[in-house]
Amino acid sequence: MPTLTFEEAYRYWRNKARRYSSISLLSKCFNALGSSRLGDADSMRHAPWQITLMVKWICQDHRMHSAREVTDDEFLSLRQTLWDIQNRIDLNCGGSLPGYLLFRQLTNSQLGFQRRISRGFVRDAAMLHLMDDNNKVKRHFEDSTGLSPREFIDLAYITLALCESSESRILSARSYKDLCVAFGEDKVNAFLKLVSADLDELIGYCSALFDARKRVTSEYFEFPPIKRFPLFRTPDGFLVWHKAILYRSLESLAHIVLSSDPHIFNRFTKVFEHHVVAEARRFPGEFFDENQLKQWLPKGSNVPEGLIAFHDANVFIESKAGVFDEQIMTVGNAEIFRDRTWNLTKAIQQGVSASQGLRDNQSLPPRIREQKADYLIVVTNRELALGNGARFMSMHAPKNRFDFGECSTLPATHVYFVHIDDFERLVSNCVDRGLHLPSILAQCVEADAHADSSVFFFSQHLDRLGFSRSMSALVTNAHADVFDRLTLIAPNQDSVAEMN
């Protein structure tokens, strides 16, 4: 087949779709998503992310006015046409895209459907709940949503429980009306307004997206934007597009609300940083904070958030909470990737500078200055699929790669980008089982040095090591608290309690 631009391939699909009514198409999409299950490798063959891309395109096209309903065979043909787009356009910019960056782009849309449910979905809201009632960040969340963080957590749990108990993925309006007695009608309605949209609202939302009038190739790799409204509202109840979309939505909604105001979000990053540092202090090593590092290094040095000194290695900890929207996950250009991840490169620069600076300070205790190896863990608030520092640098154009120079104590392979879920899991297992962090990291480095054992996600290292899925006290306590409150309210509570 001849190579088309993404716009041309889209128009070909759109013109076929315009033969049918938008309502019948959306109905077929909803039914098709029912054959795909969260985390099930076999169900990934149904490519649910492509079905949701169809939902987006249907809602963005204002000329699908046909009264004709699409048949099963015709809908299957539309799906096949969408699938064939990858063979009719150049997804790799003429073969110039770095290999790992291409792999990251290709797997992004699948990742959200395959990644298991984690108890960490309450983390952001739990942080907000612990804030003083007059805190500007907490007030912004409450003013924007009409809910307290605790109310959001409760209603999110109940919605997940309702979804677990519904084979049809239809949540009855009656179920939410019953909740009005416990929460108040205004609170229940505020939550439903936050997570659901009817057809007109969904069309309005999709039509307002930046790519509504100009197609971009990255659309093919994005996790469904309908994540913003995981429930489709009807007169009789609420349709759950897909369990993974519902979970990913509840996981990110507090972040979405806070990131609407850059000033507020910057304040929240400090809260996230405090949590990361508190968790890092739990490791059985000697912890030195940012202020101590600044005293050891030249004046004006940018330093990581902390250093954990062990008898055989130093481990730097850096927190990076960012907006990290879908564009950073679907980027297909090494130069743009560099621009969107500059703060992560800065984290590496800080770590390398600190590693070298400690060796130059002759007044430091030998147990810190004379270590043969350092490590850097960059903790992020989103799974960014970056792997270690060497892999991250390989996603840049050669001219833009950070030069580690003569820093033999902190090579690129000793840098790991770790999602907060995995960091909490790492901390908890090291503490509970008396494990030695540098030894764990050395095993990860060794595994990544060989093709047959190298992995792309840090969670895969933890799985290989047999780590339990334990988390921080913040998350654990939030779960215990919510179950104490919802014993008599949430249906099928046990199914939600089993989330790992």
Side-chain angles (χ1 to χ4, degrees):
M1 288 185 180
T3 299
L4 305 176
T5 66
F6 189 72
E7 177 72 29
E8 290 170 338
Y10 158 76
R11 287 180 182 176
Y12 179 74
W13 181 91
R14 179 203 63 189
N15 291 340
K16 288 185 65 174
R18 280 180 174 174
R19 302 170 187 171
Y20 318 110
S21 75
S22 58
I23 293 296
S24 69
L25 287 169
L26 291 174
S27 178
K28 293 292 186 186
C29 288
F30 177 78
N31 292 336
L33 285 169
S35 61
S36 174
R37 297 177 297 280
L38 177 65
D40 185 345
D42 287 337
S43 72
M44 291 301 101
R45 296 172 185 168
H46 293 279
W49 54 91
Q50 291 192 351
I51 300 172
T52 56
L53 178 58
M54 291 172 65
V55 172
K56 173 187 171 183
W57 284 352
I58 292 165
C59 290
Q60 286 180 335
D61 191 272
H62 301 294
R63 295 178 61 184
M64 288 189 185
H65 302 310
S66 173
R68 181 183 166 193
E69 293 192 359
V70 63
T71 67
D72 289 342
D73 287 343
E74 289 166 338
F75 182 72
L76 183 61
S77 176
L78 280 173
R79 289 189 62 185
Q80 186 63 50
T81 299
L82 182 56
W83 181 266
D84 289 341
I85 281 181
Q86 59 190 324
N87 299 319
R88 303 191 67 188
I89 65 174
D90 182 6
L91 298 176
N92 191 13
C93 304
S96 62
L97 198 60
Y100 280 123
L101 188 56
L102 176 62
F103 175 80
R104 178 176 178 272
Q105 186 185 51
L106 291 172
T107 58
N108 177 64
S109 57
Q110 305 174 40
L111 179 61
F113 286 97
Q114 291 180 287
R115 190 158 54 93
R116 58 172 55 90
I117 285 182
S118 159
R119 297 181 180 185
F121 88 93
V122 303
R123 185 181 295 105
D124 288 351
M127 289 182 189
L128 293 172
H129 171 65
L130 294 179
M131 293 178 180
D132 183 84
D133 288 341
N134 292 322
N135 186 284
K136 289 184 178 179
V137 178
K138 186 175 185 178
R139 290 209 317 266
H140 176 83
F141 178 85
E142 293 178 342
D143 292 344
S144 299
T145 64
L147 300 164
S148 71
R150 172 177 280 184
E151 290 164 342
F152 171 77
I153 292 173
D154 288 351
L155 289 164
Y157 260 105
I158 291 173
T159 298
L160 283 173
L162 289 170
C163 181
E164 288 285 349
S165 63
S166 172
E167 293 294 332
S168 63
R169 295 180 293 133
I170 300 176
L171 312 184
S172 71
R174 179 66 185 177
S175 297
Y176 283 101
K177 285 188 178 297
D178 292 343
L179 295 174
C180 293
V181 176
F183 291 94
E185 185 176 1
D186 59 331
K187 297 298 183 179
V188 174
N189 288 339
F191 178 79
L192 291 173
K193 180 180 179 181
L194 184 66
V195 300
S196 70
D198 62 19
L199 179 58
D200 289 339
E201 291 166 340
L202 190 61
I203 289 173
Y205 168 71
C206 292
S207 298
L209 294 173
F210 79 96
D211 54 13
R213 289 174 175 77
K214 182 179 180 180
R215 305 267 67 93
V216 290
T217 307
S218 60
E219 286 183 87
Y220 201 73
F221 309 110
E222 66 186 3
F223 190 78
I226 59 170
K227 175 182 75 171
R228 179 60 189 85
F229 296 105
L231 305 184
F232 186 77
R233 189 166 68 250
T234 72
D236 299 322
F238 304 86
L239 310 183
V240 182
W241 285 108
H242 191 284
K243 182 180 176 182
I245 294 175
L246 173 61
Y247 174 72
R248 300 276 93 90
S249 175
L250 297 176
E251 177 185 56
S252 60
L253 265 172
H255 172 275
I256 291 172
V257 170
L258 297 178
S259 62
S260 65
D261 184 325
H263 178 69
I264 291 295
F265 189 78
N266 284 338
R267 285 175 174 263
F268 183 70
T269 62
K270 297 298 181 183
V271 179
F272 181 82
E273 175 186 317
H274 178 77
H275 174 64
V276 170
V277 170
E279 284 295 289
R281 288 181 180 277
R282 296 177 59 206
F283 282 115
E286 189 175 6
F287 186 87
F288 300 95
D289 64 18
E290 181 179 8
N291 292 327
Q292 182 65 66
L293 289 175
K294 286 183 177 180
Q295 293 178 25
W296 290 344
L297 298 173
K299 186 177 181 180
S301 297
N302 291 319
V303 300
E305 256 81 68
L307 166 68
I308 312 170
F310 296 89
H311 71 271
D312 55 348
N314 298 319
V315 180
F316 293 102
I317 304 294
E318 175 67 8
S319 163
K320 286 299 178 187
V323 174
F324 296 139
D325 60 16
E326 202 62 16
Q327 293 182 56
I328 199 175
M329 302 304 298
T330 60
V331 60
N333 178 286
E335 298 286 342
I336 297 175
F337 178 76
R338 175 203 61 185
D339 293 341
R340 291 179 179 168
T341 58
W342 65 269
N343 58 335
L344 301 176
T345 301
K346 181 180 177 182
I348 293 178
Q349 293 171 338
Q350 290 175 186
V352 169
S353 177
S355 181
Q356 293 174 323
L358 294 181
R359 272 70 187 179
D360 295 336
N361 188 341
Q362 299 299 314
S363 66
L364 289 181
R367 71 181 188 280
I368 295 174
R369 180 169 51 84
E370 296 180 1
Q371 294 292 357
K372 301 299 183 183
D374 288 351
Y375 296 91
L376 169 64
I377 299 176
V378 182
V379 186
T380 62
N381 61 324
R382 173 173 180 168
E383 174 56 76
L384 298 177
L386 299 175
N388 62 21
R391 189 162 293 167
F392 174 61
M393 281 300 122
S394 75
M395 298 180 200
H396 294 71
K399 65 178 182 180
N400 295 325
R401 293 173 186 170
F402 174 70
D403 183 6
F404 281 75
E406 299 179 357
C407 185
S408 60
T409 53
L410 183 57
T413 53
H414 283 209
V415 177
Y416 277 98
F417 296 92
V418 179
H419 178 239
I420 182 61
D421 269 5
D422 297 327
F423 184 66
E424 290 186 6
R425 184 182 174 192
L426 176 65
V427 173
S428 296
N429 277 267
C430 284
V431 172
D432 295 343
R433 298 164 58 184
L435 301 177
H436 186 55
L437 178 61
S439 296
I440 297 299
L441 295 174
Q443 291 180 58
C444 295
V445 171
E446 175 64 19
D448 283 335
H450 306 282
D452 60 343
S453 57
S454 178
V455 297
F456 202 76
F457 302 103
F458 195 77
S459 61
Q460 294 172 288
H461 284 303
L462 303 184
D463 291 344
R464 175 178 54 82
L465 294 167
F467 277 24
S468 68
R469 300 195 174 280
S470 51
M471 290 201 168
S472 65
L474 172 76
V475 171
T476 301
N477 291 341
H479 278 258
D481 187 36
V482 73
F483 285 117
D484 285 345
R485 292 194 304 276
L486 298 184
T487 301
L488 301 177
I489 299 175
N492 199 23
Q493 178 179 194
D494 291 342
S495 62
V496 182
E498 293 172 358
M499 289 190 306
N500 288 312

